[in-house]
Amino acid sequence: MQISTVERTRWLGRHVKRLSQISPAQPSYWVVLIVLVLALAGCGRSAPAPTDTPMPPTDTPVPPTDTPMPPTDTPVPPTDTPVPPTDTPMPPTDTPMPPTDTPMPPTPTPTKKPAPKPIVSIPRGWSPIMNERIGYSLAVPRGWLIFDLQSGQLGQIMGWLGDPDTAAQLQDFLKTPEGQNAGHLAVELNIFAQPPIATLAGVYVLPLSDDISQERVKEWLASAIGSFDMFDINLQTLEIGTTNNLPSIQGVGTSDLSGMGGFNAHIVVTALRANDAAYILLVATRAEAAQSKQPVIDQIIGTFRPE
C-alpha cells in the first residue's frame, strides 16, 4: 500500500512529538538526526508515475492467447519505502569539549587537627583540686594541705611561722601579671622532719600560642628553671614526649635547699601543651626519699589535666 507524502509528514510529526515528550530535559540532537533520516528516506522522493505510451506497431502477427496479460500500467510499488535506519545515529563529532582552561577548584585549606583529649586516672580517696580561674585540675593523696596561692593563705601561714621576708616576696610576685598564672600548692607534711615538709606540688600556667614548637618551649623551660633567684635547680633530663595523652615536656632535677633551712630536693617537672598554654606541674620531695616517693609522684602527674 502506498503511503502518501501527507501521511508520512503526519507520521513524522507524531513521532517527533512523542520523542520530545520522552526526554524533554535532555539534549535533542539525536532526535533531530532520527527525524532527518526518516524524512529523507520517506519524503525526499516520490514514486514514478505510470506511463500509457503505446508500443510501436509490428508486422509480425502475434498469435492469440487466452492468457490475459497483466496490464502494463499496473503501478509499481515504490522502491523508496522508508527503511528504518540500521545504525544508531552517532552523536555529532563536533560536540563542544569542555574548555581545557577550566579553573581548577581551589585547594581546600587544611583543617586544624582536633586537639587530643587528656586521659587521667585518679586514685580512690584522693583529694581533687580544681582551678577554674586558669583552668586545670589534679588530685593529691588525702591529708595533704592544699593552698590556692591567689587566696593569700600561704603568705599568712609563712608569716605566722616566722618567715615574713619570704612571705612578702611571695605576695609581691603574686601581684605581678606573671604571678596571676600561679595556681595551687599542695604540701605533704612530715612532723618529724625539719622543715616539716615531705613532698609538695605546685602548678603554674604559661600562656603561649600553638605555633610555638615544643623545642622552643623546652628551651624556655630550661632557661626559666635555671634562672630561679631563690635557689638553684640542676636539671638532669628534659625530654619532649606525651603525658596523659597530651604533648608534654618532662624533666628531672635536683636542688640543694639546705642553705635556706630546707633539704636536698628531688624535683620532677611536667609541662602539658593544650589550649594555647603550657600547664606546668612541679613536684618536689626529699632526695633521700625520691625512690620510695616516685610511685606517688607518678600518680599525681597522672591526675593532672587542663580544663
Side-chain angles (χ1 to χ4, degrees):
M1 180 179 64
Q2 184 177 2
I3 301 175
S4 68
T5 301
V6 175
E7 290 176 342
R8 292 179 188 277
T9 304
R10 290 175 179 173
W11 182 86
L12 287 172
R14 290 195 299 270
H15 280 71
V16 170
K17 183 177 180 180
R18 182 184 303 171
L19 290 170
S20 301
Q21 291 173 347
I22 289 174
S23 56
Q26 298 178 359
S28 58
Y29 61 83
W30 59 273
V31 177
V32 174
L33 288 177
I34 293 174
V35 171
L36 288 176
V37 171
L38 293 176
L40 290 175
C43 302
R45 296 186 301 274
S46 61
T51 177
D52 294 329
T53 304
M55 298 294 291
T58 177
D59 295 336
T60 305
V62 179
T65 175
D66 295 334
T67 304
M69 295 297 292
T72 59
D73 58 350
T74 303
V76 179
T79 58
D80 57 349
T81 302
V83 179
T86 57
D87 297 328
T88 304
M90 298 296 291
T93 58
D94 57 350
T95 302
M97 297 297 291
T100 57
D101 58 349
T102 301
M104 296 296 291
T107 303
T109 303
T111 56
K112 188 176 180 179
K113 186 177 180 181
K117 300 291 185 181
I119 300 175
V120 300
S121 177
I122 300 177
R124 180 176 298 178
W126 281 35
S127 300
I129 301 173
M130 172 69 74
N131 191 313
E132 296 181 353
R133 182 178 59 84
I134 52 179
Y136 69 85
S137 66
L138 77 157
V140 294
R142 180 178 295 175
W144 284 37
L145 300 179
I146 300 172
F147 304 95
D148 182 351
L149 294 181
Q150 302 299 326
S151 68
Q153 293 176 326
L154 183 60
Q156 293 176 3
I157 293 174
M158 293 174 66
W160 294 339
L161 293 176
D163 194 357
D165 292 339
T166 303
Q169 292 180 31
L170 176 62
Q171 294 300 328
D172 290 342
F173 169 72
L174 293 175
K175 292 176 182 178
T176 66
E178 294 80 9
Q180 294 297 309
N181 295 320
H184 286 79
L185 181 70
V187 180
E188 178 193 19
L189 294 179
N190 180 357
I191 60 175
F192 299 106
Q194 184 60 36
I197 297 175
T199 310
L200 60 85
V203 178
Y204 184 85
V205 177
L206 172 69
L208 50 81
S209 60
D210 280 345
D211 57 357
I212 298 178
S213 68
Q214 286 287 74
E215 285 292 344
R216 183 69 186 88
V217 177
K218 175 183 173 181
E219 293 174 4
W220 174 87
L221 196 58
S223 175
I225 292 175
S227 62
F228 282 163
D229 294 332
M230 296 177 63
F231 50 86
D232 293 330
I233 297 177
N234 300 313
L235 282 176
Q236 298 169 348
T237 63
L238 191 62
E239 302 294 338
I240 296 173
T242 301
T243 304
N244 300 346
N245 200 44
L246 294 176
S248 69
I249 300 171
Q250 279 196 304
V252 175
T254 60
S255 181
D256 184 2
L257 306 179
S258 58
M260 301 173 56
F263 50 85
N264 290 328
H266 171 79
I267 298 173
V268 179
V269 58
T270 303
L272 304 181
R273 292 291 301 274
N275 306 331
D276 293 337
Y279 296 78
I280 303 171
L281 170 65
L282 189 145
V283 183
T285 191
R286 292 176 178 270
E288 64 270 19
Q291 185 173 357
S292 62
K293 290 292 185 180
Q294 191 60 50
V296 175
I297 294 174
D298 291 339
Q299 286 179 301
I300 294 173
I301 295 171
T303 70
F304 184 46
R305 60 170 290 168
E307 295 290 348

